[in-house]
Amino acid sequence: MSGETITLYEAIGGDATVKALTHRFYALMDTLPEAARCRAIHPADLSGSEAKLYDYLTGYLGGPPVYVEKHGHPRLRSRHFGASIGPVERDEWLLCFSRAMEETIPNPKLREIIWPPIERLAHHMMNRET
């Protein structure tokens, strides 16, 4: 045993897994009836949103800081201020993310590590109470 630490990015499978996760996330958002309100606050074409989430998650999980290199500091809450995000949109977003993780990250322990900060982030993004 080398004692070497690896990042979550490496542990889940790197670039291929982050791409699969973000692609599946937006596919679910685009097709699940129970994600309709979350989908409605996104642009008609999800490709830009998918690319930005991919960039963000890459760095967030310990991979290259591509989001920061392309867009600067994430400032996620201010970047999403134009979208009306309440409990329903938050929960629908979390539903899509959870399902996408289950389908693309086979290791349940890794999903357990990733989930709490993602859940906190979703709660932080809310900008209305109802």
Side-chain angles (χ1 to χ4, degrees), residues 39-119:
R39 175 62 180 95
I41 63 172
H42 284 78
D45 178 0
L46 291 172
S47 60
S49 299
E50 183 175 333
K52 284 182 180 172
L53 182 61
Y54 161 77
D55 289 348
Y56 176 76
L57 287 176
T58 296
Y60 178 79
L61 294 168
V66 289
Y67 186 94
V68 172
E69 290 168 356
K70 290 180 183 179
H71 308 286
H73 188 281
R75 300 184 344 261
L76 294 179
R77 195 149 196 266
S78 64
R79 290 183 194 266
H80 287 79
F81 194 71
S84 181
I85 303 170
V88 171
E89 293 80 9
R90 175 204 63 210
D91 291 348
E92 290 178 1
W93 190 94
L94 286 168
L95 170 71
C96 295
F97 200 93
S98 175
R99 286 194 187 175
M101 276 203 318
E102 287 172 15
E103 295 178 23
T104 60
I105 301 173
N107 186 315
K109 290 289 185 200
L110 293 173
R111 293 194 309 263
E112 287 174 22
I113 293 167
I114 295 167
W115 183 249
I118 290 294
E119 193 172 31

